[in-house]
């Protein structure tokens, strides 16, 4: 057995163990994929990215249950929380954007359909996907056509998205006790409340959230077409995608920098280079004439081209912390996978393969030296794990399984 095969089998073995430990199940939460850490809660972000590797072993993992839990727990207005307690209650109030669940469920559903799995499923889940998209549009759309989110909602908890001078809380939505489920308050207390990051939401247009909404509109159009919805419904989602793309290209693009930034409400770009910007790639919103300059940052050692790509925060940012930064520097495999899929969608196979190869080799080396798979990785390939959890399969199984199978020949 090769080292790459051992890596693959270890990922499945760890995932099996996580699956056995997840719960409780019963009438509220059905058996589901483990989310990597030692959690009993149900996380949307984690679950979706697990689907992309677990789809290769549908006989082994409860793929349908893992996604259906969210539709069963959704509110009638379409709200789906990013995190549910084992009781099936949202840990966070839908009145605060900390509960925001990025609209990426349709992407996972299309993956299953395109793999030929679960015929008839798209017809069944489409109404719930439509309602969730409508909820996000109604609650997180800015007047200029862009969208906002929350540090937790974006999937990278402590990515320093605010200007380095510090955020102005004016216009933010403070996180208060009433926004936190009582069952969680006892263990959390006031720990979350003073942190200014949790007021940093609607003062800015968020590039990843806006791109995710464009991507979701595009995916809903594809699903609607596949299941034979009326043409006007398909066209409505295509028009929505085009409108969000136009807003992104008008507001978030910096011609001087060749990059898409988060933007303050007054139109000022927050000139910090985050990997989250590259959600624009799978969303299909980047004009061809901008691609070369935009993607050049992925080849720039001062930005994202580190020994193990792609750090969440550019290497020349003063807050870059490649080992202890958690979301402020380390490599998160789900971000790399999103970027790889985006590069493929715009025909940049050579760059995708280069990033995939470096990511795979870096994660494999750390597996061989530690015997496990990590929540995140140092982009500097220091031989030490970044600050995070071991046995994280979980989304990190993307590297030995999906990245290997989809982008490499090893």
């Amino acid at each position: 057995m090769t080292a790459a095969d051992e890596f693959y089998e270890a990922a499945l073995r760890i995932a099996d163990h996580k699956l056995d430990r997840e719960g409780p199940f019963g009438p509220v939460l059905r058996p589901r994929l483990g989310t990597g850490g030692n959690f009993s809660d149900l996380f949307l972000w984690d679950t979706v990215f697990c689907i992309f590797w677990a789809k290769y072993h549908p006989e082994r993992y409860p793929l349908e249950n893992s996604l259906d839990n969210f539709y069963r727990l959704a509110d009638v207005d379409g709200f789906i929380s990013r995190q549910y307690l084992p009781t099936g209650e949202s840990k966070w109030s839908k009145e605060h954007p900390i509960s925001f669940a990025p609209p990426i469920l349709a992407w996972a559903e299309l993956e299953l359909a395109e793999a030929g799995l679960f015929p008839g499923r798209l017809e069944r889940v489409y109404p719930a996907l439509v309602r969730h998209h409508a909820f996000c549009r109604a609650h997180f759309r800015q007047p200029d056509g862009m969208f906002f989110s929350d540090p937790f909602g974006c999937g990278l908890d402590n990515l320093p998205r605010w200007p380095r001078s510090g955020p102005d809380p004016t216009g933010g939505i403070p996180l208060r006790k009433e926004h936190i489920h009582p069952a969680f308050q006892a263990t959390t207390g006031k720990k979350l409340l003073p942190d200014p990051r949790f007021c940093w939401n609607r003062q800015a247009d968020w590039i990843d959230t806006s791109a995710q909404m464009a991507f979701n509109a595009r995916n809903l159009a594809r699903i609607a077409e596949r299941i034979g919805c009326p043409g006007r419904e398909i066209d409505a989602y295509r028009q929505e995608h085009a409108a969000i793309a136009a807003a992104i290209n008008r507001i978030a693009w910096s011609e001087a920098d060749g990059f898409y930034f988060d933007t303050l409400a007054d139109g000022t770009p927050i000139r910090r280079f985050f990997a989250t910007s590259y959600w624009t790639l799978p969303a299909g919103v980047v004009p061809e004439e901008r691609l070369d300059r935009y993607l050049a940052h992925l080849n720039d050692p001062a930005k994202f081209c580190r020994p193990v790509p792609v750090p969440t925060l550019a290497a020349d940012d003063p807050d870059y912390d490649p080992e202890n930064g958690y979301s402020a520097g380390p490599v998160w495999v789900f971000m790399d996978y999103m970027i790889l899929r985006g590069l493929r969608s715009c025909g940049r196979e050579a760059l995708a393969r280069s990033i995939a190869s470096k990511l795979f080799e870096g994660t494999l080396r750390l597996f061989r030296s530690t015997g496990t798979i990590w929540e995140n990785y140092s982009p500097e390939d220091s031989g030490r794990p970044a600050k995070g959890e071991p046995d994280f399969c979980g989304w990190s199984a993307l590297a030995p399984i999906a990245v290997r199978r989809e982008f490499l020949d090893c």
Side-chain angles (χ1 to χ4, degrees):
M1 181 181 291
T2 67
D5 291 338
E6 291 175 3
F7 194 22
Y8 192 116
E9 291 302 317
L12 295 178
R13 190 166 57 249
I14 295 168
D16 289 346
H17 178 60
K18 297 293 181 180
L19 178 64
D20 291 340
R21 293 174 62 186
E22 284 290 315
F25 307 127
V28 179
L29 297 181
R30 295 173 180 169
R32 62 198 188 276
L33 283 158
T35 53
N38 294 315
F39 307 119
S40 59
D41 290 359
L42 175 65
F43 292 86
L44 184 145
W45 182 268
D46 308 51
T47 299
V48 166
F49 280 104
C50 286
I51 292 293
F52 295 110
W53 61 261
K55 70 180 182 182
Y56 291 108
H57 299 276
E59 74 294 339
R60 191 165 180 164
Y61 299 110
L63 302 177
E64 287 194 283
N65 279 351
S66 297
L67 296 172
D68 284 346
N69 278 320
F70 295 101
Y71 310 135
R72 294 173 61 248
L73 298 175
D75 289 0
V76 293
D77 61 2
F79 170 71
I80 296 177
S81 179
R82 69 173 183 83
Q83 181 180 5
Y84 288 99
L85 300 169
T87 58
E89 300 168 282
S90 176
K91 184 168 283 190
W92 314 99
S93 167
K94 67 182 177 183
E95 302 306 318
H96 193 281
I98 196 172
S99 65
F100 175 75
I104 55 175
L105 286 162
W107 187 20
E109 295 291 356
L110 276 168
E111 285 292 300
L112 298 182
E114 289 171 358
L117 300 172
F118 316 122
R121 178 173 173 81
L122 284 181
E123 289 87 345
R124 178 168 65 82
V125 302
Y126 177 69
L129 297 173
V130 167
R131 289 191 294 271
H132 181 227
H133 185 82
F135 180 91
C136 293
R137 183 199 300 124
H139 288 78
F140 301 104
R141 188 179 184 274
Q142 301 274 50
D144 60 8
M146 299 282 280
F147 292 80
F148 71 91
S149 179
D150 178 88
F152 275 149
C154 81
L156 293 166
D157 302 358
N158 70 319
L159 184 67
R161 305 183 70 129
W162 55 92
R164 293 202 79 244
S165 59
D168 175 3
T170 302
I173 303 173
L175 181 64
R176 300 189 173 95
K177 281 189 175 181
E178 58 265 31
H179 296 135
I180 307 171
H181 194 282
F184 190 51
Q185 287 185 28
T187 57
T188 303
K190 295 184 178 181
K191 183 172 65 174
L192 293 178
L193 305 188
D195 193 325
R197 287 182 289 121
F198 300 102
C199 300
W200 185 244
N201 38 61
R202 69 185 175 200
Q203 305 98 310
D205 295 333
W206 295 53
I207 184 59
D208 50 336
T209 308
S210 302
Q212 288 161 2
M213 286 296 291
F215 187 34
N216 204 49
R218 189 187 206 188
N219 287 332
L220 288 173
R222 292 172 59 198
I223 292 174
E225 188 170 30
R226 286 180 71 114
I227 65 177
C229 290
R232 63 182 180 277
E233 190 168 344
I234 300 167
D235 289 342
Y237 282 118
R238 289 174 175 164
Q239 290 165 13
E240 182 177 5
H241 173 269
I244 301 171
I248 289 171
N249 281 297
R250 183 179 71 254
I251 294 166
W253 175 253
S254 169
E255 182 63 26
D257 299 281
F259 202 73
Y260 290 94
F261 293 116
D262 291 353
T263 308
L264 293 173
D266 64 3
T268 303
I270 302 174
R271 294 186 63 258
R272 307 191 74 175
F273 288 76
F274 310 132
T276 52
S277 174
Y278 287 107
W279 275 101
T280 54
L281 296 177
V285 303
V286 185
E288 180 65 32
E289 64 271 17
R290 290 179 175 173
L291 269 173
D292 285 344
R293 292 187 64 213
Y294 184 44
L295 299 182
H297 300 292
L298 292 172
N299 278 321
D300 182 356
K303 292 292 189 290
F304 298 114
C305 187
R306 305 308 302 158
V308 180
V310 174
T312 52
L313 183 64
D316 59 358
D317 190 287
D319 290 328
Y320 177 69
D321 186 348
E323 289 189 8
N324 298 310
Y326 200 58
S327 299
V331 173
W332 294 73
V333 179
F334 61 76
M335 288 298 297
D336 276 26
Y337 183 75
M338 175 275 293
I339 292 169
L340 293 174
R341 291 291 301 268
L343 289 170
R344 172 163 287 169
S345 72
C346 61
R348 302 305 174 99
E349 285 287 343
L351 180 55
R353 185 177 177 86
S354 173
I355 291 172
S357 178
K358 293 175 183 177
L359 172 71
F360 183 80
E361 293 301 327
T363 55
L364 175 60
R365 279 193 295 274
L366 199 57
F367 166 71
R368 297 185 73 180
S369 65
T370 64
T372 192
I373 296 168
W374 294 87
E375 182 179 6
N376 52 58
Y377 292 85
S378 169
E380 303 306 326
D381 200 19
S382 63
R384 299 185 300 271
K387 184 179 180 180
E389 296 291 326
D391 292 351
F392 214 91
C393 296
W395 59 57
S396 290
L398 285 165
I401 301 176
V403 171
R404 177 187 176 185
R405 295 183 68 140
E406 295 172 22
F407 295 93
L408 304 173
D409 299 325
C410 58

